[in-house]
Amino acid sequence: MTLVAACSGLLAVVQLRQSGLQRPVFNRKGNLEEDRPDDMTGQGVKDLLADLANLSGQAAAERPALELLIGDILTRTSVEPAGLDLYLCVTGLLPPCECTLPPSALAGRERAGYELLWHADQGRYIVVRRIPLRMLSGERGVMDEILNTADLAQGCLREIAGK
């Protein structure tokens, strides 16, 4: 006797039996095709960024970088190598400001998953995040990390402004 649990009903059971399934399969939680993570390779993410950049009217480059203005935060996203891994590098440029945080306030941000840097030439802070590609769950994950970086930058902007 072969026990088969399928998410798609009787038709799936018939198809599995016809394909020669000989051992029991227990699947207590059905996964939809759209919920499965994509294979996020460096080239796949680069292609996604290039496509999004083209859709938004940005010039294509050999090393694509997507720029999006989310509220007051200008994000730039690219794929960067570091050691043996590839990372999604997302920066969030805060609006120019006159106020500066003491160096002690800048310390420890790296341990929180991001860095807050001061760009002296532009007179603004920059939030930098590096997310290993293996941690991304697909194209949706790339977009989520861009939005998460914009949210972090907005939080830093509120902190800097003292609100």
Side-chain angles (χ1 to χ4, degrees):
M1 179 174 149
T2 301
L3 296 175
V4 177
C7 301
S8 299
L10 184 59
L11 181 60
V13 173
V14 171
Q15 289 174 345
L16 287 172
R17 285 186 180 160
Q18 288 174 348
S19 68
L21 179 69
Q22 299 299 320
R23 59 183 178 82
V25 175
F26 299 98
N27 185 0
R28 294 193 173 133
K29 180 179 173 185
N31 291 329
L32 299 174
E33 184 67 31
E34 64 216 25
D35 292 337
R36 293 185 187 143
D38 295 334
D39 183 18
M40 293 306 295
T41 63
Q43 190 59 48
V45 176
K46 287 178 185 178
D47 290 344
L48 171 66
L49 295 176
D51 289 345
L52 292 173
N54 287 334
L55 288 173
S56 64
Q58 298 174 30
E62 183 179 325
R63 196 173 204 180
L66 175 66
E67 291 187 352
L68 297 174
L69 183 62
I70 303 170
D72 293 336
I73 307 300
L74 176 64
T75 63
R76 288 188 181 134
T77 308
S78 62
V79 175
E80 303 293 333
L84 298 176
D85 286 335
L86 291 175
Y87 290 82
L88 184 71
C89 183
V90 186
T91 60
L93 284 77
L94 282 65
C97 65
E98 302 263 338
C99 51
T100 58
L101 291 174
S104 61
L106 297 176
R109 303 281 179 168
E110 190 172 328
R111 285 178 262 125
Y114 68 98
E115 293 178 82
L116 183 62
L117 307 171
W118 174 251
H119 193 300
D121 292 338
Q122 293 185 8
R124 64 173 70 194
Y125 285 98
I126 302 172
V127 170
V128 179
R129 293 184 64 222
R130 290 176 187 85
I131 303 102
L133 291 187
R134 67 183 182 289
M135 302 298 290
L136 298 175
S137 61
E139 291 179 357
R140 186 181 306 167
V142 172
M143 296 306 296
D144 286 345
E145 293 303 337
I146 294 171
L147 294 173
N148 290 342
T149 302
D151 287 344
L152 278 171
Q154 284 288 352
C156 290
L157 182 60
R158 283 191 298 274
E159 182 182 336
I160 291 166
K163 294 180 182 179

